[in-house]
Amino acid sequence: MDITTLPFNQLIGLTRSDRAGALLSLPGDARYTNHAGTIHAGALLALAENTSGECLLREFRDLGHSVLPLVRRFEAKFRKPARGAVHASATVAAEAKTAFLATLAARGRAPLNVQVEIHDDNGTLVMNAAVEWFIARREEGAGI
């Protein structure tokens, strides 16, 4: 799956980041700004959520379409006003990966937390987020 081709992501202009270590980005464009002239919180939240999903796709490529991931909880902290292009990176702790895979194998479903950081073009950390996913095995023959 190419997360940038989802209709909503195409609508908002989400792209792959050209920054080292970053996964996805939004370009510097006035359409993302709010009343204060900085990047709108909603745009940053959409970038963070999608970046966490991209992280899942990369970290658990072998699961493919055998699972259905859904966001269960989202916690964000806005650190600095963002201006211009923003780039997001995401990580999953090694122990969380191990616990997730064991629980998924045993129960057919498991939660997983993904940590996201968003930086602006100057490298300033503008937001970090914790995205909790609920991931369940699909029943045989089920599809999207």
Side-chain angles (χ1 to χ4, degrees), residues 15-63:
T15 61
R16 299 208 178 278
S17 179
D18 59 1
R19 294 286 171 107
L23 300 176
L24 300 174
S25 66
L26 289 173
D29 191 307
R31 66 184 167 157
Y32 300 112
T33 58
N34 59 20
H35 64 286
T38 59
I39 304 300
H40 196 282
L44 294 173
L45 294 170
L47 174 60
E49 187 267 338
N50 280 286
T51 300
S52 71
E54 178 69 14
C55 181
L56 291 180
L57 290 170
R58 291 179 183 211
E59 291 290 334
F60 302 101
R61 192 175 312 272
D62 293 345
L63 294 177

